[in-house]
Amino acid sequence: MIFEQIMNGSSASFAETVTVIVFMAVISILSITLREYIRARVTSKLGGEATATLNPLKALTPQNIISVIILAFFSVSWTKPQKPSLSAGKNALTALSALLTNIGLALGCMLIYDILYVINVNIYVATEVYPTALMWIAMFFSSGVLVNLGYALFSVLPIPGTDGGILVAQLFPEKIREKFLYFDKFSYMILFFLALIASRSGIATAIINEAAMAAEYLFLSVLNLIFPVN
């Protein structure tokens, strides 16, 4: 986000840029909190030990603070999961639950954004004035889509230190799995450079935008049948 604006130039005002950064930071913390809460609940249900909490302050670990900063600079980021401690199948389920949480949050934010978009358009058609408050609320949920798609994109990578890495590791024999997961200590360095490359090349933005546009087209098509624009 910030990195792309610096390198490519941005027509947004300083206030708008700061507002979007604040939105993304808040959404990042809330998303990480819910993601880890779901992961802990699933882990507990499957017989593992985990503390589930919805307290955002508990999510502000050094690793997650770094995650939020990286997201602000590169539009994509990740949260390093705890080392798997259950059986292969159960570890895969906990990793999948975390990944699906981000995807679900992205779709939920997109649905709310599209509803607000349709309302905004109808109000403008009727009054020729855009409701400023609704526009800012819509921007908040739009940021929620980008944040969670950014997390989901990197979380699915089959690299040690991600949920995608845990999912892939469960396919290996135990000895190979342990060696594979051993390299999670290098994950921050690997993923940081991947984030840099993906951001500068535009690959991350392209994938996130395509995914967001596909979901938006689907939701708007349905909403236009229910709340047609006059």
Side-chain angles (χ1 to χ4, degrees), residues 178-197:
E178 290 177 357
K179 292 180 179 179
F180 178 81
L181 293 175
Y182 169 81
F183 288 98
D184 69 350
K185 62 177 65 178
F186 305 110
S187 63
Y188 267 95
M189 184 182 300
I190 296 170
L191 289 165
F192 176 80
F193 282 108
L194 285 177
L196 175 61
I197 294 169

Side-chain angles (χ1 to χ4, degrees), residues 116-220:
L116 293 173
Y117 172 80
V118 172
I119 293 173
N120 283 338
V121 171
N122 276 282
I123 291 176
Y124 178 77
V125 169
T127 65
E128 296 187 356
V129 175
Y130 275 119
T132 305
L134 283 180
M135 289 177 63
W136 282 107
I137 295 172
M139 185 182 294
F140 177 84
F141 285 101
S142 175
S143 299
V145 176
L146 300 178
V147 165
N148 282 284
L149 286 179
Y151 277 126
L153 175 62
F154 260 48
S155 292
V156 79
L157 294 178
I159 296 173
T162 67
D163 289 303
I166 291 178
L167 285 169
V168 170
Q170 310 317 308
L171 302 176
F172 301 151
E174 186 174 353
K175 290 185 178 180
I176 298 178
R177 184 190 314 149
E178 290 177 357
K179 292 180 179 179
F180 178 81
L181 293 175
Y182 169 81
F183 288 98
D184 69 350
K185 62 177 65 178
F186 305 110
S187 63
Y188 267 95
M189 184 182 300
I190 296 170
L191 289 165
F192 176 80
F193 282 108
L194 285 177
L196 175 61
I197 294 169
S199 178
R200 286 297 294 122
S201 66
I203 294 175
T205 301
I207 294 174
I208 291 172
N209 285 344
E210 286 298 321
M213 288 173 62
E216 183 175 30
Y217 177 80
L218 174 63
F219 288 145
L220 283 178

Side-chain angles (χ1 to χ4, degrees), residues 8-230:
N8 302 328
S10 174
S11 59
S13 68
F14 177 76
E16 290 173 335
T17 301
V18 170
T19 301
V20 171
I21 292 171
V22 171
F23 281 173
M24 295 187 76
V26 170
I27 292 167
S28 295
I29 294 170
L30 294 177
S31 298
I32 290 172
T33 300
L34 184 58
R35 175 190 176 95
E36 296 311 309
Y37 172 80
I38 296 296
R39 186 202 304 277
R41 287 296 302 270
V42 172
T43 300
S44 297
K45 290 290 186 181
L46 294 176
E49 294 184 3
T51 302
T53 176
L54 287 173
N55 182 358
L57 295 178
K58 297 290 185 179
L60 293 176
T61 63
Q63 289 180 335
N64 287 338
I65 291 174
I66 293 173
S67 171
V68 173
I69 294 171
I70 291 174
L71 180 76
F73 273 86
F74 301 120
S75 299
V76 289
S77 191
W78 66 95
T79 54
K80 189 174 181 179
Q82 296 180 351
K83 286 186 176 293
S85 58
L86 301 169
S87 65
K90 292 179 179 180
N91 287 332
L93 286 176
T94 60
L96 187 61
S97 69
L99 174 63
L100 291 177
T101 299
N102 282 129
I103 295 174
L105 286 171
L107 292 175
C109 287
M110 175 63 77
L111 177 59
I112 296 173
Y113 168 79
D114 285 341
I115 292 173
L116 293 173
Y117 172 80
V118 172
I119 293 173
N120 283 338
V121 171
N122 276 282
I123 291 176
Y124 178 77
V125 169
T127 65
E128 296 187 356
V129 175
Y130 275 119
T132 305
L134 283 180
M135 289 177 63
W136 282 107
I137 295 172
M139 185 182 294
F140 177 84
F141 285 101
S142 175
S143 299
V145 176
L146 300 178
V147 165
N148 282 284
L149 286 179
Y151 277 126
L153 175 62
F154 260 48
S155 292
V156 79
L157 294 178
I159 296 173
T162 67
D163 289 303
I166 291 178
L167 285 169
V168 170
Q170 310 317 308
L171 302 176
F172 301 151
E174 186 174 353
K175 290 185 178 180
I176 298 178
R177 184 190 314 149
E178 290 177 357
K179 292 180 179 179
F180 178 81
L181 293 175
Y182 169 81
F183 288 98
D184 69 350
K185 62 177 65 178
F186 305 110
S187 63
Y188 267 95
M189 184 182 300
I190 296 170
L191 289 165
F192 176 80
F193 282 108
L194 285 177
L196 175 61
I197 294 169
S199 178
R200 286 297 294 122
S201 66
I203 294 175
T205 301
I207 294 174
I208 291 172
N209 285 344
E210 286 298 321
M213 288 173 62
E216 183 175 30
Y217 177 80
L218 174 63
F219 288 145
L220 283 178
S221 298
V222 175
L223 287 172
N224 281 332
L225 294 175
I226 303 173
F227 307 106
V229 177
N230 296 321

